[in-house]
Amino acid sequence: MENIMSTPISPADLMVQANDLSPVVTAAQRAVVENSKGIDADQASRMATTLIDAARSAQRTLADTRKYPAGRRAEADEILVKAEGEYSEWRQTFELVEAVYLAELRVSLFKAPTGTDALIARQDAEQVLRRRDMSLHDVFRTLVSAGGPVAQLAISPWLELVATGRGADAKALRAVAEEDFLQQAAAKGDDTARKMLDAPTAYTKVRIAVDKIASECLAVNRSAFAQRAMSWGSEAPEMAAEIRALKAQLARAQAKSPQEG
């Protein structure tokens, strides 16, 4: 463990170091930028910047040796508390941002056929439904694999009508049909389908990266730098010097006593 009392400290050194943060923060910020590409995550980049700015501001406050240590600590704590509140609010809304983004992709991808296409697709689908050698799940997988309007019909509200008529679990049936439709569309190079597949992982990585930034930045008032900064202007050096002087005085007195005897 670093001995902060043995490390030469100067106000100029402290202020230079005040802008330095952990390498973890730098790496996490890069991860936020990289994984935000292609998704609605502008808020995450702004939140990362807010946390980093707050950490540096708190460290500069701690390094301002013109102020009393207690005052510096209080100001730094206030800066970090404000940033923590903004982070907590972001954490709650970011999940909503992800849900809205994915919902918009779903609406764009899962479109029901209309007009003549819908009539023809339903006729074709009804023929497959009459087959008794296939489970309902396999029927819908077959419809989805057909592609075009038939596949679109298979993941439309028509699915619930069929499931209800057959006494099947519509939720489970939709999960199977939509997953097959999504994978098939992505395999054919559909950009919306690719985004739907990639977005959940990207959002998770962004969330983890911002969490790492928050964990580091909101703790700078308890860091080794904070200890170095708070030792400047505190009573600790003076007390240590006074104790050393008293010990030296005692040693001289003890060395003098035998001679007098």
Side-chain angles (χ1 to χ4, degrees):
M1 181 178 295
E2 180 183 4
N3 185 347
I4 63 173
M5 296 305 301
S6 65
T7 303
I9 301 173
S10 75
D13 290 338
L14 286 175
M15 198 55 75
V16 170
Q17 295 171 10
N19 289 317
D20 295 337
L21 297 176
S22 164
V24 173
V25 174
T26 303
Q29 188 176 26
R30 284 199 302 267
V32 170
V33 173
E34 184 63 29
N35 290 290
S36 293
K37 296 176 180 177
I39 62 174
D40 181 10
D42 290 344
Q43 290 183 354
S45 296
R46 289 195 294 271
M47 188 68 254
T49 299
T50 295
L51 289 166
I52 291 170
D53 288 347
R56 286 175 173 154
S57 179
Q59 291 194 154
R60 287 194 295 269
T61 299
L62 292 172
D64 188 357
T65 56
R66 296 170 301 175
K67 302 176 182 179
Y68 287 109
R72 283 183 270 153
R73 168 71 73 180
E75 288 184 30
D77 287 348
E78 185 177 349
I79 291 170
L80 296 178
V81 166
K82 181 177 182 294
E84 185 175 13
E86 294 179 26
Y87 164 69
S88 297
E89 183 177 345
W90 169 85
R91 199 67 168 73
Q92 295 175 359
T93 60
F94 193 61
E95 293 184 2
L96 180 59
V97 170
E98 178 183 2
V100 170
Y101 178 76
L102 291 174
E104 290 175 346
L105 291 178
R106 284 178 56 85
V107 170
S108 177
L109 183 64
F110 298 144
K111 293 180 178 178
T114 58
T116 303
D117 286 342
L119 294 174
I120 296 174
R122 185 153 185 167
Q123 290 174 358
D124 293 340
E126 291 289 351
Q127 292 180 10
V128 180
L129 278 174
R130 295 190 187 100
R131 295 184 57 172
R132 298 300 178 184
D133 61 332
M134 299 171 63
S135 68
L136 197 56
H137 280 201
D138 288 340
V139 166
F140 272 84
R141 280 200 166 108
T142 300
L143 295 176
V144 169
S145 65
V150 172
Q152 291 177 311
L153 178 69
I155 49 88
S156 75
W158 179 75
L159 178 149
E160 275 73 25
L161 294 175
V162 174
T164 300
R166 296 287 186 91
D169 184 343
K171 185 176 180 180
L173 189 60
R174 175 163 293 283
V176 171
E178 287 188 354
E179 179 64 20
D180 283 4
F181 186 95
L182 181 60
Q183 294 291 344
Q184 181 175 295
K188 292 180 179 179
D190 186 284
D191 187 58
T192 301
R194 181 189 57 78
K195 287 181 178 179
M196 281 192 67
L197 288 173
D198 295 343
T201 298
Y203 274 105
T204 297
K205 288 182 177 180
V206 168
R207 191 179 295 109
I208 290 173
V210 176
D211 287 348
K212 286 182 179 179
I213 293 172
S215 177
E216 293 287 330
C217 289
L218 297 177
V220 294
N221 58 347
R222 301 188 299 273
S223 65
F225 172 84
Q227 292 180 356
R228 289 194 297 272
M230 294 304 292
S231 70
W232 185 273
S234 70
E235 297 179 356
E238 289 80 357
M239 290 179 62
E242 184 177 349
I243 291 173
R244 287 195 298 271
L246 289 172
K247 286 183 176 180
Q249 184 179 354
L250 177 61
R252 288 195 299 270
Q254 290 175 338
K256 190 175 181 181
S257 294
Q259 298 175 0
E260 294 178 349

